Amino acid sequence: MKRILFLLSVIAVMLLPMAGVSAASSDFSERVSGMAEITAVRVNSGSDKIRIVVDASKPVRYTTMTLKNPDRVIVDIQGAWLSAKVKREIAVSSRFVNDIRIGQFNKNTVRLVVENKVGSSNYKIFPLKGGTVPGRVVLDFGNLSDSSKAVIAVPDVQQKPSTTGSSSVSTTKPTTPATSQTQESKPAVKPSDSSNTSSTQTTKPATTPVTKPSSPSSTEDIDGPAKEAAGTATDTGKDSSKNTGSNAGDTPAITDDTDADIAALTGLKGRKITIDAGHGGNDSGAIGPTGVMEKSVTLRIANELRRLLVADGATVYMTRTTDTEVSPKGANASDIEELQARCDVANNTKSDIFISIHMDSFSSGAAKGTTGYYYSLGSQRSRDLADKVRQGVIDQIGTQSRGTQSCNFYVVKHTDMPATLVEVAFISNPQEEQLLNSEEGIEKAAQGIADGIADYFG
């Protein structure tokens, strides 16, 4: 009998910690119910700037402030908890940022601290919403007046290009590695000098996936209240301890107490966007080492991008949704006629912007990276669009930046609105071909372009 009582006592003692864990888990789940989970901190560092993206399971509110000695930018994300899978300190090698730290400042606030070298003016903080990551806070540090590697004088007034047959038409794309600025011909690009209007297609809103919460994290004191109480928090003119998810001039974050219709005025709702999937039909575009065709990759990205933009309220027009030519003449169209048919889709629908999606190629498989192009005599807005789309793609798929460059490509020259042609990656590079032939690569590339568009309209 004593032996039985002893065994029961041992079992009871063993079960007590399990009961405690269960109770703690239940308490945690109850505490974070309705809060945003901070799921990742992503960093992309380039020669012109560094971008830090904080991912959340839902749109978030935040405040910002600065601290001195050393210079730090503080972002307090309210109503949030930090996932255990997120690294608390991120080592960076950048001339703009020394250190990145994140922690659970208190039970309702996650604090991000960025120790930087850019001073009070060369940084920008803004939210992004929608897409595969429901909530994001973006921090840019560095040369924000112009993040293009190319040094190009852009006129303030747009020069409307001629659409006559005498216009020079570029069917080549700069593709050389490193800093070379030469251009290499790509397989027949189909254009259009005719006035025929191609049929346009609109789409209806769709739903967007949401991430699930994971395990809790311990509370951390990240440059805590003691420093603020000591008077080291400094207003730098960027409104210390400010904002509810949007800086002045930036896209407001959609929260429960924010009117979505007002926020959408600077978002994607009601925007008209034309997406051009490069090549198609008899024109395969460039072909990768394993036979992947550019026309297939661009179409997959374009269709996924359409889904993302429509989900955020945009009206989207597609130059093509299947493997076909755009011109009514089909395979009998000249290069000029095919390209003009793509421009007609955007011009006839009076789209707000035009996005042409391509894959780059070069004779050497070592060439790699992402490039944004805009018409050399176009507006500053086209350059801004090209720059933001390029940066968005790089943030998502991690490719090398080849800068934002001017060009004379037909589709960005003969469209009446801000336009960009983005070379997502090199299909001639084995690794980038493999990446953009995967579902994950397609989804990330599309998300990157969508992020750039959202940033542009913000």
Side-chain angles (χ1 to χ4, degrees), residues 217-255:
S217 60
S218 59
T219 298
E220 300 177 27
D221 181 13
I222 300 291
D223 290 321
K227 294 185 177 67
E228 298 159 44
T232 53
T234 304
D235 185 344
T236 64
K238 296 183 81 70
D239 194 5
S240 177
S241 188
K242 69 181 175 184
N243 97 42
T244 57
S246 71
N247 289 347
D250 293 322
T251 309
I254 304 298
T255 60

Side-chain angles (χ1 to χ4, degrees), residues 121-415:
S121 59
N122 288 329
Y123 74 88
K124 180 181 177 184
I125 305 172
F126 57 95
L128 287 175
K129 74 178 190 72
T132 55
V133 180
R136 281 161 290 173
V137 180
V138 181
L139 299 86
D140 285 342
F141 293 82
N143 177 17
L144 303 186
S145 59
D146 175 20
S147 58
S148 169
K149 288 184 178 180
V151 180
I152 305 162
V154 180
D156 293 330
V157 180
Q158 181 175 6
Q159 178 178 327
K160 188 176 178 68
S162 168
T163 57
T164 64
S166 61
S167 299
S168 61
V169 179
S170 173
T171 58
T172 61
K173 300 189 271 184
T175 52
T176 52
T179 58
S180 175
Q181 301 269 334
T182 62
Q183 298 192 18
E184 175 203 350
S185 296
K186 296 191 66 170
V189 183
K190 294 239 176 183
S192 163
D193 226 356
S194 70
S195 58
N196 293 329
T197 303
S198 68
S199 61
T200 63
Q201 303 180 33
T202 59
T203 56
K204 297 182 180 179
T207 56
T208 316
V210 182
T211 56
K212 298 180 180 179
S214 60
S215 56
S217 60
S218 59
T219 298
E220 300 177 27
D221 181 13
I222 300 291
D223 290 321
K227 294 185 177 67
E228 298 159 44
T232 53
T234 304
D235 185 344
T236 64
K238 296 183 81 70
D239 194 5
S240 177
S241 188
K242 69 181 175 184
N243 97 42
T244 57
S246 71
N247 289 347
D250 293 322
T251 309
I254 304 298
T255 60
D256 292 339
D257 56 354
T258 301
D259 183 69
D261 290 333
I262 294 175
L265 292 175
T266 53
L268 294 179
K269 187 175 181 180
R271 303 290 187 180
K272 295 190 291 185
I273 300 169
T274 293
I275 303 172
D276 173 38
H279 307 282
N282 286 344
D283 176 18
S284 67
I287 300 176
T290 66
V292 177
M293 295 184 182
E294 180 180 5
K295 68 174 183 177
S296 300
V297 174
T298 61
L299 181 60
R300 292 168 65 191
I301 295 173
N303 284 333
E304 174 63 12
L305 176 60
R306 172 183 60 176
R307 186 188 69 80
L308 294 172
L309 296 177
V310 168
D312 279 343
T315 299
V316 177
Y317 302 95
M318 304 287 286
T319 60
R320 66 184 183 98
T321 57
T322 59
D323 182 16
T324 185
E325 292 84 4
V326 178
S327 170
K329 293 185 178 181
N332 295 322
S334 67
D335 285 351
I336 296 297
E337 288 172 331
E338 175 65 15
L339 286 181
Q340 185 59 47
R342 294 168 190 259
C343 298
D344 288 344
V345 174
N347 294 338
N348 293 336
T349 57
K350 301 187 185 307
S351 291
D352 295 310
I353 60 171
F354 175 86
I355 308 288
S356 187
I357 302 170
H358 286 257
M359 291 288 289
D360 222 329
S361 181
F362 189 60
S363 55
S364 169
K368 60 184 178 180
T370 302
T371 314
Y373 289 102
Y374 65 96
Y375 177 44
S376 56
L377 297 180
S379 68
Q380 180 65 46
R381 293 173 62 199
S382 287
R383 184 176 184 175
D384 290 343
L385 176 63
D387 199 47
K388 293 181 188 303
V389 167
R390 173 191 60 82
Q391 185 63 54
V393 171
I394 291 168
D395 289 345
Q396 284 290 332
I397 65 176
T399 44
Q400 174 182 304
S401 173
R402 296 174 63 85
T404 302
Q405 302 181 25
S406 65
C407 69
N408 199 37
F409 299 149
Y410 193 97
V411 293
V412 296
K413 180 178 180 180
H414 293 276
T415 38

Side-chain angles (χ1 to χ4, degrees), residues 50-124:
I50 183 171
R51 170 165 287 188
I52 303 163
V53 182
V54 180
D55 292 340
S57 61
K58 60 189 290 188
V60 295
R61 296 172 65 89
Y62 62 85
T63 59
T64 67
M65 64 180 172
T66 60
L67 297 175
K68 292 290 187 181
N69 301 317
D71 288 337
R72 283 152 292 163
V73 171
I74 313 295
V75 179
D76 283 339
I77 304 173
Q78 302 161 353
W81 62 279
L82 185 62
S83 170
K85 66 186 179 183
V86 178
K87 290 178 64 175
R88 291 338 193 236
E89 186 159 0
I90 301 172
V92 292
S93 177
S94 168
R95 62 192 179 99
F96 306 116
V97 168
N98 290 325
D99 187 51
I100 303 170
R101 303 188 299 279
I102 191 168
Q104 192 76 42
F105 181 63
N106 59 41
K107 65 180 183 179
N108 295 316
T109 305
V110 172
R111 170 165 285 188
L112 177 74
V113 180
V114 181
E115 187 177 316
N116 68 86
K117 317 170 199 176
V118 301
S120 61
S121 59
N122 288 329
Y123 74 88
K124 180 181 177 184

